[in-house]
Structure formats: C-alpha cells, structure tokens
Amino acid sequence: MTTATTMTGAVGTAHTRIEGRDKVTGAARYAGEIPFADLAHGWLVLSTVARGRILSVGTGPVLGMPGVLTVLHHGNAPRLDIDYVGMLGVPPDPTAAVFQNDRVPHAGWPVALVVAETPEQAREAAEALVVTYEQEPHDIELSAGRPDAHPVDGHMPAVTEKGDLEAELAACAHVVDVEYTTPEEHHAMMEPHAATARWDGGRLEVVDSNQGTTWVADEIARMFSLDASAVRVRSEHVGGGFGSKGARAHQVSAVMAATALQRPVRVVLTRRQMFSLTGYRSPTVQRVRLGADADGRLRALEHRSLNQTSTVWEFVEPSAGVARVMYDADAHRTSNEVVRLDVPSPTWMRGPGEAPGSFALEAALDELAERCGVDPVELRLRNDPERGPVSGLPFAGRNLAACFREGARRFGWAGRDPRPGTRREGRWLLGTGTAAASFPSGALPSTAAVTAEADGTFTVRIAAADIGTGARTALTLVAADALKVAPDRVRVHIGDSDFGPAGIAGGSMGTRSWAWAITAAAGELRDRLVPGGTVPPEGITVRSDTTAALGALAQKERHSFGAQFAEVAVDVATGEVRVRRMLGIFAAGRIVNPLTARGQLVGGMTWGISMALHEEAVRDRAFGSLYGADLAGYHVATHADVPAVEADWVDDPDPDDPVGIKGIGEVGIVGAAAAVANAVWHATGVRHRNLPIRPDRVLEAGGPRV
C-alpha cells in the first residue's frame, strides 16, 4: 500500500453527515428497533403516590394474563451494589437501582416491571397490576426562604468567596439586587430511552441509546457485581440525549429481567415515563447582587442559586458557576445550594448550570447597564477579565470581546436607541437585547484504535457516541487529516464499549476527547507505515491512550465563549412575544465541520428561545406529579417560533489541543434566554425575572408600556 503524503485539509470544510442517508431512509436502526430472536418486552409500573411505602404488589392475577412471563419488584429483584464512585468521579444515581426496597420517594418511582411476549401484553398487564401503598405527606415546594437549603459540592465547590461583599456594595455608585427564577425543564429528545439486555455465552450485552457506552457498561458492571470484561454495551445511533442518557432504570430493569428469564428483554420508556425517570433541569431561585462604580466597573458580585433535588440523591444545578468565569470584582461570592424534596432526581441537561445561571447573571448585567447609563455591550467589554475571577488562572483563549464586536456590527447594534418602548410597528413593540455566553472546554481520557487495512483504507474504532451532533462525521475528518488521506478512505466505527474506554458525549467534551485520541493513534500509525510498503492482510493497528497527555496539560481556564443578540416583538394587546431574529457569534475553538457545527449552535439558540418563552413543567401540589407530562402539555419552540436564527464564529483555535478544538455542543443555549428577556424589556420597559415570559405574565406585569 502507498500512503498519501499531502494534507487533505478536511477539517474546517463543510461535510454532510456520513450516516445521513441511512437516517432519512430508515436504514439506521435505533435502540428500540433492532431485532432479536426470542425477544421479550418489559413495561415499567410507576408509583401513583409521591411519598410512602409499598404494602403489596398484586402479582397473582397479572401472572395469569396472556403472554406474561414475570413481574419483578422489590420482593424478588436481585440486590444491587451502589456503594461506589463511577468513571465520571461521582456516585451512581440511586434512582437507577430499581426495586431495592419498599420506599417510594416521589411520584413516578419504578415499583415493578412486567415482562411479556409482546409490548402490548406487557402494557396491558402493567396497567392491570394493583400496587397498594402506605401514603405519607409529601413536600414538593421550592422557595427562596427555605431553612433546609444548604450548599452542596457538585463537580465544583459549592461556595467561593473573596473580599468584603457588604462593604463594597455600600461603597458602590450603582447596585442591583434582584431575584430570578427558572422553572422545571425537560430534555424531550426525539428518541425515547430504550434498552435491550441479553446474555450471550456468559457475557451480558446491552443494546442501548446512551451518551457513552463505556460509561453505561461501567455502571452496570458495578451495580451487578460483574467483571468489567463480562459486559458489552452497544449504541450505534442515538436520537438525542442532552445529558439524560446515562445509566437509568430501563437498562437496569432490562438486565434484571434478562437474567431472570435467560432470554433477551427490551424495555422502552414512554414519553410520559421519561418525565419521571430520565432526569430534568431543576427549577432555580437565583439572587444576584451587583455593585459598580460610576463608570460601570464591577466592584461587588454575588450570585446565589438554589435548586431542588430528590431525597435519594443530591444533584446540584450549578447556576452560580457561570459567574466564576464571566466577571470579576473586588468582592466576589458565589453559592450553589439545594433543597431535598419529594421529587425525581434532576440531572445534567444541555448547558447544566450555565443555561439558567446565565439568564440571571446576564439579565442582572442588563439591569446594571440601565442603572449606569452604559450600553449593555460596552458594560460587558469594560468588565472582561484577564484571568479567572475565582481561580486566578490565565484563560486558554478568551475572545469574548471579539464576539461582541463582530456580533454588534452584524446585528446593527450601533443604531439602537437605548430607551425602552420607543420602537413600534402597528400593534407590536420592538426591542433588542444581548447577553454573553460561556461553557467549559474540557477533555476526558480516551482510547482509540486506528488500523491501516490492506486495501488502502483506514478503520477507526472508538467508543464515541454520536447523539445527533455529527460526531461520526467530524471524527472522520479529523482522522483523514491526521492520516493525510481523503475522508473517503476512512471508516469510523463508534458506540461499542468493546472498543475500549472513551469519554462521554457530554459537557461539550466528546469531539475534543475523541479527536485527541484518534489524532494520537493516527500519528503513530503514520510513523510505522513505510512508503510504498505492503500492509499485511490483518492490517496494522495502533492504539492510543490520552490519559497521560491530558494529565500533563497546564492549569488554565478553558472555555468556549459567545455573544448573543435578539430582536423581539411584543403584542400590546395580548402580551404575546415573538422573536424576530437572533444572532450568535462564538469563540469555540477550531470548527471541524462548519455544517454540523452551525446546526449545533443554532439548535442551542433555538432551545434558548424555547426556554425564554415556552418551556415550563408544573407539578400538582396535591399529588406531586406533573401536569401534562407529554409534548402536548409541555410546550417547546416549533418552526413557527423560530424565524431568522444565525450562528457564526471568530477564529479561536485552542493552542493546547492537537486539533485546536474547544467545544460547541452547549454554549449555543447559554445566554440565549437572557438576550430574549433583555430584548423584551427594551421593547416594553417591563423587566421579566421569571421564566418563561408567557403572555399572561406580560399582561399581569402591567402590560407593555405604550
């Protein structure tokens, strides 16, 4: 085989998705569609009470129903081990360890799994299963003044503090002290959670829809006390994840049933079940206090955030963390606190912490700009720090100012009249707003194998997960450039834990982590190949491991940044808010595939519109469950709500990354809701500090000021 010696330059050019045709023609099979011989079907039964104990599970009549094979519950399920720290450095969420005791910690808690020959039989039997409870009073009320609120460390310290906050606030010329709230929000990805478990020759295989096969394999092996080599997890195509597709009740219950029956068992969640079982973004109550001198330079900053968590696991929505990156002050205090309630466990959701946190912080910055009489863009530029406000570390690139300058130019910000309520078209009041965005740029240790095949092609194997981001295509481009060949000579196989450990698709770390491993393996493989030499039939394979390389990185503040701009129209009679156009300019490292990258950023911005104006899950105080736990009752932005949304970027390669990647998956949603909310104020003169900005809230606030 003769290897190419010229760079192809695939990275940075637009490529359609490699698997695109398969997806649009239905050839790509998702977790709930893959056929298995002798497949049985499980259906989860969820609690109807919000707190209490299970007194009995009426299995007798159900076991006599057509097709029913077994009913698993706390009285007969195997015991699981949850006393460990997983590969992400956190203990497992106990909500995945189903059927371990008779306690019910929230409405929608799994109390049984009915397994039958067909999904219809399983559902009918599950709906017929009678479970009796000893019901106890429940508490689902999140409020700012709760005495049981307490700080909790998540993946960052709960509290950071420097300087004398009260003294600095007292000395400031301008002070903003405001409370903001965001509601419970849900992932609502297109593909429901689904998993099939089977034993094959003494080895457990799980075919799943997840964000990291090695992550899920590790969790299952630990829970069931299995050797790591005895578990294989496959997940080739994933129809969206957004943080929710880790180890959960459906995989664990499927493994239990497959073990009990010694045949494949599939468990697919309904949309309604997903609202209880797959996590969500906790509602938040956030207090922001800002103090500035007469020129608008910050002297005091406090950001406190409170979120709810379940009684079985303390999950932190670290909304105050965004202030630790964005702005500095002589006195600087942040705090993330939780309250334990009788609700399901929240989890990571696109832009965890940053999405709700940026709404509060960036809306407060807008209020401060008004107080100071300083343009909102200029205020942010004046307070752009040179080092991490809390860490004191240098930034590995912080091109936020370039994003604002380019965004302001393209959006036409210079011609903006700063006075609210001055622009009108018929019954519509018009306004514009802006906000900053940031999201951490990290990388997880990963392995990859690259093989030079005898036919002149190359095969890449890595346990990556393409959850809709276009990662499979991006990695093909990265591998092609690293091998110095055309992309059509590279085949990338992903989504199989047998390929070796690799980072998850989460935290905007996926492509960066996997590309690093592929680049390392490809570079070593090129060094081994002899120009004009022959590759043996079995090929030549090189495996990489980036653990040491990542451990050697210098300590820096590593983030993607962005500037969001929005124009809205508000109906003076109905209070309806319409987003007319949005522009986001981002500094997010080297862009591997502009086509899919733009889709990720626009998708995030669209979600920001949805967050600002539509999304809100409401719990019934009497029963502890959600009203309208489906996509009819839970409103998301549709095409009619999203007119002109444009995303672009400035040159921003990371010099410490072998490809220059940072991450784009989540920064697009950050700041978007704040930009919309700030635009609504500019249109109407009324501040909205509670999301979503529904028409009734616009009218209740006094309506648009005409």
Side-chain angles (χ1 to χ4, degrees):
M1 181 192 74
T2 302
T3 59
T5 57
T6 56
M7 284 291 289
T8 63
V11 170
T13 59
H15 281 69
T16 57
R17 294 172 186 263
I18 289 171
E19 81 287 6
R21 178 176 291 274
D22 287 346
K23 285 185 173 178
V24 300
T25 60
R29 285 175 168 168
Y30 291 82
E33 302 173 323
I34 299 172
F36 289 93
D38 199 29
L39 179 65
H41 299 267
W43 201 278
L44 283 166
V45 179
L46 309 187
S47 70
T48 57
V49 303
R51 181 184 173 95
R53 291 177 52 245
I54 301 169
L55 296 179
S56 65
V57 181
T59 60
V62 168
L63 288 170
M65 294 180 68
V68 174
L69 301 170
T70 190
V71 178
L72 295 175
H73 54 86
H74 72 280
N76 62 5
R79 299 302 94 182
L80 301 176
D81 179 11
I82 58 172
D83 186 20
Y84 65 87
V85 175
M87 67 172 283
L88 296 184
V90 297
D93 181 350
T95 58
V98 292
F99 317 142
Q100 297 301 289
N101 55 58
D102 63 358
R103 294 297 306 171
V104 174
H106 62 76
W109 177 260
V111 295
L113 179 78
V114 177
V115 187
E117 296 287 353
T118 71
E120 293 80 10
Q121 291 170 334
R123 180 171 189 167
E124 183 180 7
E127 291 175 349
L129 184 69
V130 176
V131 181
T132 58
Y133 305 91
E134 179 183 296
Q135 192 168 353
E136 301 170 3
H138 62 266
D139 179 6
I140 64 167
E141 206 65 38
L142 179 68
S143 60
R146 290 194 60 122
D148 52 345
H150 56 283
V152 172
D153 294 336
H155 60 275
M156 63 177 66
V159 178
T160 65
E161 189 168 15
K162 69 177 181 181
D164 189 330
L165 186 71
E166 300 302 332
E168 288 292 344
L169 285 169
C172 286
H174 304 286
V175 174
V176 169
D177 184 349
V178 191
E179 182 179 281
Y180 300 87
T181 69
T182 60
E184 180 175 325
E185 299 166 354
H186 286 257
H187 302 77
M189 74 295 298
M190 291 180 68
E191 182 203 14
H193 294 61
T196 302
R198 66 170 183 164
W199 288 92
D200 183 14
R203 194 170 187 228
L204 176 65
E205 181 181 46
V206 178
V207 178
D208 187 24
S209 176
N210 63 56
Q211 294 180 234
T213 55
T214 52
W215 176 27
V216 173
D218 179 73
E219 296 278 322
I220 290 175
R222 291 173 185 268
M223 282 190 193
F224 286 89
S225 301
L226 299 170
D227 188 89
S229 63
V231 180
R232 181 189 187 188
V233 176
R234 293 191 292 122
S235 182
E236 185 176 1
H237 297 290
V238 182
F242 306 118
S244 77
K245 285 186 174 175
R248 299 208 169 273
H250 63 293
Q251 299 120 316
V252 174
S253 60
V255 173
M256 287 180 172
T259 303
L261 297 173
Q262 286 300 299
R263 61 185 286 190
V265 176
R266 173 173 294 157
V267 178
V268 180
L269 299 185
T270 67
R271 182 67 61 180
R272 184 172 288 273
Q273 288 175 336
M274 288 166 59
F275 275 82
S276 297
L277 297 180
T278 62
Y280 58 96
R281 196 192 308 280
S282 167
T284 68
V285 180
Q286 301 178 58
R287 185 185 183 189
V288 179
R289 292 199 291 172
L290 303 175
D293 61 22
D295 294 328
R297 300 186 188 279
L298 287 169
R299 294 182 56 180
L301 185 155
E302 181 183 36
H303 190 170
R304 296 175 57 191
S305 178
L306 174 67
N307 73 266
Q308 70 185 30
T309 191
S310 70
T311 58
V312 296
W313 193 43
E314 288 190 329
F315 180 86
V316 183
E317 180 76 24
S319 300
V322 68
R324 303 176 187 181
V325 175
M326 292 307 301
Y327 307 107
D328 202 357
D330 295 329
H332 196 287
R333 187 181 192 278
T334 65
S335 176
N336 291 308
E337 302 176 0
V338 303
V339 171
R340 294 166 64 104
L341 300 175
D342 301 314
V343 296
S345 293
T347 194
W348 295 285
M349 181 165 160
R350 196 174 200 175
E354 279 80 5
S358 66
F359 163 65
L361 182 63
E362 293 297 318
L365 257 290
D366 206 66
E367 298 200 37
L368 182 64
E370 180 193 1
R371 300 273 181 91
C372 296
V374 177
D375 178 82
V377 170
E378 177 59 28
L379 184 76
R380 288 166 173 82
L381 294 176
R382 290 183 189 181
N383 288 285
D384 194 25
E386 295 182 359
R387 303 179 74 84
V390 172
S391 69
L393 295 172
F395 286 99
R398 181 182 171 108
N399 288 328
L400 180 61
C403 294
F404 268 111
R405 292 190 176 101
E406 176 63 12
R409 182 189 68 80
R410 290 174 55 169
F411 193 75
W413 188 264
R416 177 182 190 261
D417 186 335
R419 297 172 299 165
T422 57
R423 292 178 60 204
R424 184 163 182 161
E425 288 182 3
R427 73 177 196 269
W428 299 95
L429 287 172
L430 307 183
T432 54
T434 190
S438 75
F439 196 81
S441 172
L444 293 171
S446 298
T447 63
V450 181
T451 301
E453 307 288 0
D455 63 1
T457 64
F458 295 85
T459 302
V460 176
R461 294 178 178 85
I462 186 167
D466 191 336
I467 60 174
T469 60
R472 182 187 276 100
T473 307
L475 296 180
T476 300
L477 305 184
V478 167
D481 277 8
L483 292 165
K484 298 186 178 181
V485 300
D488 60 8
R489 290 176 59 188
V490 177
R491 295 187 300 269
V492 174
H493 298 287
I494 65 172
D496 190 332
S497 63
D498 274 1
F499 293 161
I504 64 168
S508 289
M509 295 183 289
T511 300
R512 177 179 165 100
S513 302
W514 308 321
W516 200 314
I518 290 171
T519 300
E524 184 179 340
L525 179 61
R526 281 196 304 108
D527 291 341
R528 289 193 188 181
L529 295 177
V530 178
T534 301
V535 174
E538 69 275 14
I540 299 174
T541 299
V542 170
R543 171 169 289 278
S544 66
D545 185 338
T546 62
T547 303
L550 293 177
L553 278 175
Q555 291 295 306
K556 295 180 182 179
E557 287 276 2
R558 303 179 188 277
H559 305 268
S560 293
F561 293 95
Q564 304 270 19
F565 294 85
E567 180 180 44
V568 304
V570 183
D571 190 310
V572 298
T574 67
E576 178 187 5
V577 179
R578 287 281 183 179
V579 176
R580 289 197 166 184
R581 61 188 177 107
M582 285 193 76
L583 170 68
I585 302 293
F586 300 94
R590 188 181 183 195
I591 302 302
V592 176
N593 184 355
L595 186 63
T596 53
R598 186 168 280 107
Q600 282 295 293
L601 294 170
V602 168
M605 295 168 67
T606 300
W607 202 338
I609 295 173
S610 197
M611 178 181 176
L613 303 180
H614 303 288
E615 295 191 44
E616 181 180 25
V618 180
R619 293 197 172 270
D620 187 322
R621 293 184 180 180
F623 299 101
S625 54
L626 290 173
Y627 293 106
D630 50 44
L631 292 183
Y634 182 77
H635 293 175
V636 298
T638 65
H639 285 297
D641 300 302
V642 186
V645 179
E646 183 182 0
D648 211 338
W649 43 82
V650 298
D651 190 44
D652 183 54
D654 185 341
D656 297 325
D657 183 272
V659 185
I661 297 170
K662 286 187 176 179
I664 60 171
E666 301 181 75
V667 72
I669 191 176
V670 181
V676 172
N678 292 340
V680 171
W681 167 80
H682 187 233
T684 65
V686 177
R687 292 283 180 190
H688 288 273
R689 303 183 180 104
N690 307 295
L691 294 184
I693 307 173
R694 304 188 311 253
D696 62 304
R697 285 179 167 168
V698 173
L699 297 178
E700 287 172 3
R705 293 179 185 171
V706 183

